[in-house]
Amino acid sequence: MLSRVRSAVAHLVSSGGAPPPRPKSPDLSNAPSAQPAVPPEAPRSPPARAGSGSSAPAKTVEARASFSRPTFLQLSPGGLRRADDHAGRAVQSPPDTGRRLPWSTGYAEVINAGKSRHNEDQACCEVVYVEGRRSVSGVPREPSRGQGLCFYYWGLFDGHAGGGAAEMASRLLHRHIREQLKDLSCWSSQKEVTHESLVVGAIENAFQFMDEQMARERHGHQVEGGCCALVVVYLLGKVYVANAGDSRAIIVRNGEIIPMSREFTPETERQRLQLLGFLKPELLGGEFTHLEFPRRIQPKELGQRMLYRDQNMTGWAYKKIELEDLRFPLVCGEGKKARVMATIGVTRGLGDHNLKVCSSTLPIKPFLSCFPEVRVYDLTQYEHCPDDVLVLGTDGLWDVTSDCEVAATVDRVLSAYEPNDPSRYTALAQALVLGARGTPRDRGWRLPNNKLGSGDDISVFVIPLGGPGSYS
C-alpha cells in the first residue's frame, strides 16, 4: 500500500499538484421547512429522469441529486436542460414574476465548461421563523409566534466530487441554524456573553451538526464528496457572514470595498495543518512530513542544509536534511494548485468524510475543518443607499474577477437603473456572472482582454443593503 501511495502522490506532486477526479445533531429530516422564498407550489427543479424505486444504482441516485437546481429558479424541464448545457452555458436567474426573493435579492448562476458532469453549486434563500425553546427560568413555553424571532438566510454551496453534499446542505443547513437559535429566547444579559456572540456560536454549531449529519447519512443517501459553504444570516439589525471554503463575500458601500470573508486554502491555513500534523503524526501515515521546504528534497541532499519552516514559523530558517524530510509535503503546490496531501485544494467545508489520499486508505478529513469564520456587520451603524450591496460568489467568480472589478460593475450596472427598480439587483448578478464566464471563442471562453474566463460553476447573490429591502 505504501508503494502505491508513493507512486500516486509522486505523480500528483510532479504534475504541479493537480488533483485527481474529486472523488449527535438534531434529526431534521422531518422538521418543518422554513417559510419559502417562492410560492410553495414551485417545487425544486425536477431531476434528470432515472430509474425509480429503492433498487436504483448508486450512480443514478447521485446523478439525481446532482442535477437538481435551487427551488427559487422555478425551472421547467426545458429550462433545466438549458441550465445543464456545458456548451451553451446559459445564465439562469429567478423569473421576473413579481414574487421576488427577500429584500429583492439578485441571483444568477451558470454551469461549468465541462469540469464536472453537472453544476455542483447549490443555493438557498429563505425567511426562517424561530420558536423559542424555553423561558429564562427553564420552564417550557407554549409555542407562540409572538415569542419567536425571524431571520433572513442566504447560502451558496460549492460542491466537489459530486453535488450531493452541496444539495443536502442547501436543504438543511438553515434548519440546523434555526434549531441552534432557539436558545436565544432564554438568553439573559450577562456582561461576559453578548447576544452577538450567541448568534455566532449558533451558526458555528449548526455547521458542525450539518457535517455530522452528512457523516451519518453519506452511504444511504449517496452524499459523497463535500462542499464549501458561504452563508449570510440577517438577525436583529446585524448581518452575519459565515464562510467555510474558498467562496467569498464583499460589501460595496458608496464605492468602498469591505471584505466580509477570506478564503480557506492550503496556503492560508498552512500553520493550522502543520500543527495538527505535528501533534498527531499518525495522521500523516509515515508518508508525509508536516515541515515545509521551498521545493521537494532529493535523496542526494541528505545531510545538507536547506531552508524550511514549521507550524510555529512565518519566516524561513535552515536545518540539516534528515531521512524523514524526504517524505511528501503535507501541503504541496502554490496558489490555486496548492493541495492538502496532494489531493484537495480547500481546507474548510462540509462533507468529504470518504476522501482518501489517492490509491491509499489514508483519510484527509482530519485536516479539513467544518467550522466557518463568522464576520459581523451592523446595518444600524450606517445609513445605506440603494446602491450599497453585499455580493456573495463561489470561486468561479473570484478566480477571474477582483474586488475592484466587482465594485466597478456594481457602479456601472446599478447606475443604469432607477433606485427603486427591484430588478436592478438581478441584472447586477447576471452581469457579474457573464463577466466571469466570458464569451465563447476558438480557444474556449474568453474575457474581453482575451484571458481565459472561468470554466468553473459560477453562482452569485447580490443582497441590497438599502432601498427596497425590508429589515424589520
Side-chain angles (χ1 to χ4, degrees), residues 26-94:
D27 180 8
L28 304 180
S29 56
N30 296 316
S33 61
Q35 298 176 17
V38 293
E41 65 270 14
R44 181 171 286 273
S45 302
R49 295 188 62 181
S52 60
S54 58
S55 61
K59 288 185 178 180
T60 301
V61 176
E62 173 62 18
R64 180 182 293 117
S66 298
F67 199 28
S68 66
R69 300 311 312 142
T71 303
F72 55 74
L73 286 177
Q74 304 180 54
L75 295 179
S76 64
L80 193 63
R81 286 192 294 271
R82 287 190 295 274
D84 202 42
D85 178 14
H86 294 277
R89 300 189 75 190
V91 175
Q92 307 295 322
S93 288

Side-chain angles (χ1 to χ4, degrees), residues 82-220:
R82 287 190 295 274
D84 202 42
D85 178 14
H86 294 277
R89 300 189 75 190
V91 175
Q92 307 295 322
S93 288
D96 190 7
T97 59
R99 290 191 177 104
R100 301 187 179 277
L101 296 180
W103 293 18
S104 297
T105 296
Y107 176 81
E109 68 171 39
V110 71
I111 195 172
N112 61 81
K115 177 180 177 182
S116 60
R117 182 180 177 187
H118 298 297
N119 189 339
E120 294 180 346
D121 284 0
Q122 285 291 344
C124 181
C125 183
E126 301 282 354
V127 182
V128 187
Y129 178 74
V130 184
E131 290 184 352
R133 197 188 304 276
R134 292 178 181 274
S135 67
V136 175
S137 62
V139 178
R141 288 176 170 175
E142 291 297 323
S144 168
R145 297 192 68 86
Q147 296 173 347
L149 51 86
C150 189
F151 69 87
Y152 292 81
Y153 173 90
W154 300 261
L156 288 181
F157 306 93
D158 183 356
H160 47 261
E167 195 275 338
M168 184 176 184
S170 71
R171 287 187 292 107
L172 297 179
L173 182 55
H174 60 282
R175 301 184 185 183
H176 282 287
I177 294 175
R178 179 184 61 195
E179 285 297 307
Q180 295 303 304
L181 287 176
K182 286 182 178 180
D183 291 325
L184 284 183
S185 61
C186 53
W187 171 75
S188 60
S189 179
Q190 301 179 37
K191 62 180 180 180
E192 68 272 16
V193 179
T194 64
H195 185 276
E196 179 181 299
S197 69
L198 287 175
V199 177
V200 171
I203 294 172
E204 291 170 334
N205 259 352
F207 271 67
Q208 183 179 24
F209 289 144
M210 183 73 256
D211 192 60
E212 291 173 353
Q213 183 176 1
M214 287 181 174
R216 292 196 308 271
E217 301 181 11
R218 65 186 186 275
H219 298 300

